[in-house]
Amino acid sequence: MKTLDVDRSDAAYRAWLKEAVRKVKADANRSADTHLLRFPLPEEWGIDLYLKDESTHPTGSLKHRLARSLFLHALCNGWIRPGKPVVEASSGSTAVSEAYFAKLIGVPFIAVMPRTTSQEKIALIQAQGGDCHLVEDTRTLYEVSARLAAESGGHYMDQFTYAERATDWRGNNNIAESIYHQMQQERFPEPSWIVATAGTGGTSATLARYVHYMQADTRVCVADPENSCFFDGWVTGDLSVTCDCGSRIEGIGRPRVEPSFVPGAIDRMMKVPDAASVAGVRLLDRVMGRKPGGSTGTGLWSALKIVAEMRAAGEQGSVVTLICDPGDRYLDKYYSDAWLAEQGLDIAPYLTVLEKLLATGEWTGE
């Protein structure tokens, strides 16, 4: 029997691949780290709250890190090919970042998004040269994305499956390593808690894995909005649970428990009312003069609840959460009283809880 030998090496493709990887890595090399901001709490509390400001990335959100990792992962696996589109199911911020990297390496990009996605995000994707394919039912995002990729000969990036495996959680300047490095000179350098939110689940997986790998005592809490299944799946252990409608807090909350969510790695979850999330972003705007997106409010509400618990228990330490993206993408939503009224959201009671906490140190919310 003869030796069977099939050589599919392609010098032109390898040259293109090397240049594509170089461009993506060069983007990281040009980027400075994001700021770790202190939230103003009374010094005498002995508790410090920090916000990792991921809105300062070139594409304006935490998803810039994820998109870079996803592109490197897909390129090195041979999944992205010259001239063929990258397709992604995304409610916005990941699509903005992936459109940026697709343009950087010169391939088409198609974002499959809910029709309710903000016009600001759609405009940002289009500004990067991406196309937007809008769907009525958020539950069809995955199916439509896979179909479009198959029909075009492109690659379905599938952030919800690959987010947790595309990121090097042991280091390589991931978000967890960055936080710990920036905390080194603080009075409580090892955070008592890190609070994240979940869109894919990849960020919380990276944070929790890094904590365990570094043998730190930090605990990781994931804050989940209404109309999302991560909390229910984590509490019950049933990862097949689904929701009938999509999250009003763009970028986080999913109608299913995504494959990138690693429930066993995290310590705690909170189910945060949407009105509380919006109260959180309004508070941050008022206290620090920064307008973040809605997911930041979800995390901030949970972080402040933990601060209140630590104060009540007489504990000292630090808590870290994230500014995920800027609020100028949501001016017609979370900063619009008309939108709140349309959605039936009353943020006043939640703002009262937060304002009382800052004034007295007491938490009166549930």
Side-chain angles (χ1 to χ4, degrees):
M1 179 179 176
K2 294 183 178 181
T3 299
L4 301 178
D5 186 349
V6 179
D7 185 349
R8 290 180 175 170
S9 58
D10 182 334
Y13 163 68
R14 287 295 291 272
W16 177 87
L17 176 61
K18 287 173 66 175
E19 181 64 5
V21 171
R22 183 196 67 78
K23 288 177 177 177
V24 176
K25 292 175 70 175
D27 173 82
N29 205 43
R30 290 192 301 270
S31 299
D33 205 349
T34 58
H35 299 296
L36 190 65
L37 308 175
R38 282 194 66 174
F39 185 92
L41 295 176
E43 187 82 10
E44 62 271 19
W45 286 12
I47 304 169
D48 298 327
L49 174 60
Y50 301 85
L51 296 106
K52 178 74 165 160
D53 188 3
E54 294 290 286
S55 70
T56 59
H57 282 294
T59 53
S61 82
L62 168 68
K63 299 301 185 180
H64 193 84
R65 292 182 191 268
L66 172 60
R68 183 192 295 129
S69 295
L70 287 168
F71 265 79
L72 286 173
H73 183 255
L75 283 165
C76 293
N77 282 341
W79 294 342
I80 299 176
R81 294 283 166 158
K84 299 297 184 180
V86 170
V87 183
E88 184 62 285
S90 171
S91 62
S93 285
T94 301
V96 174
S97 299
E98 287 191 16
Y100 169 90
F101 284 105
K103 183 179 181 180
L104 188 69
I105 66 172
V107 297
F109 179 76
I110 303 171
V112 181
M113 303 186 298
R115 192 166 294 279
T116 55
T117 301
S118 67
Q119 289 300 311
E120 289 87 351
K121 280 189 177 178
I122 292 172
L124 287 170
I125 294 164
Q126 293 172 337
Q128 296 291 351
D131 292 326
C132 299
H133 185 98
L134 305 180
V135 300
E136 298 292 345
D137 186 349
T138 59
R139 293 171 294 183
T140 67
L141 287 175
Y142 321 97
E143 174 190 338
V144 172
S145 298
R147 176 175 58 78
L148 289 176
E151 291 173 354
S152 63
H155 171 59
Y156 171 29
M157 190 69 88
D158 194 2
Q159 59 166 323
F160 299 107
T161 295
Y162 293 103
E164 57 89 7
R165 65 188 74 172
T167 300
D168 184 355
W169 50 268
R170 285 172 288 260
N172 195 20
N173 197 34
N174 66 36
I175 190 170
E177 184 179 49
S178 176
I179 288 170
Y180 275 82
H181 175 73
Q182 291 176 313
M183 288 289 293
Q184 286 178 356
Q185 301 302 317
E186 301 304 309
R187 62 172 175 169
F188 305 111
E190 183 176 300
S192 299
W193 286 91
I194 297 177
V195 179
T197 50
T200 62
T203 298
S204 62
T206 297
L207 289 166
R209 286 166 167 171
Y210 186 82
V211 165
H212 302 322
Y213 182 67
M214 297 303 293
Q215 304 157 64
D217 291 326
T218 304
R219 287 168 289 176
V220 175
C221 174
V222 174
D224 205 31
E226 296 177 32
N227 303 323
S228 176
C229 292
F230 290 118
F231 179 86
D232 296 332
W234 186 78
V235 169
T236 65
D238 180 7
L239 302 185
S240 67
V241 294
T242 59
C243 301
D244 292 331
C245 58
S247 170
R248 288 181 291 197
I249 308 301
E250 286 193 28
I252 62 171
R254 301 298 304 162
R256 69 177 190 182
V257 179
E258 300 295 350
S260 280
F261 182 63
V262 184
I266 61 177
D267 300 284
R268 178 177 182 177
M269 288 199 72
M270 293 190 199
K271 191 78 165 180
V272 178
D274 289 349
S277 296
V278 179
V281 303
R282 297 285 186 96
L283 180 79
L284 193 61
D285 184 23
R286 184 180 309 172
V287 171
M288 296 183 67
R290 292 176 180 270
K291 277 185 166 65
S295 57
T296 299
T298 311
L300 182 60
W301 174 271
S302 297
L304 286 170
K305 185 175 188 294
I306 289 172
V307 166
E309 290 173 358
M310 291 174 63
R311 177 163 165 72
E315 298 175 7
Q316 295 188 332
S318 56
V319 179
V320 179
T321 188
L322 311 177
I323 296 178
C324 302
D325 62 356
D328 56 8
R329 300 178 178 184
Y330 313 98
L331 296 179
D332 61 344
K333 289 192 173 183
Y334 313 125
Y335 297 92
S336 167
D337 291 338
W339 183 83
L340 291 178
E342 177 186 306
Q343 296 293 317
L345 294 175
D346 180 9
I347 69 172
Y350 301 97
L351 270 174
T352 299
V353 169
L354 296 177
E355 290 166 347
K356 184 173 181 180
L357 170 66
L358 298 185
T360 69
E362 296 179 4
W363 182 268
T364 56
E366 295 182 359

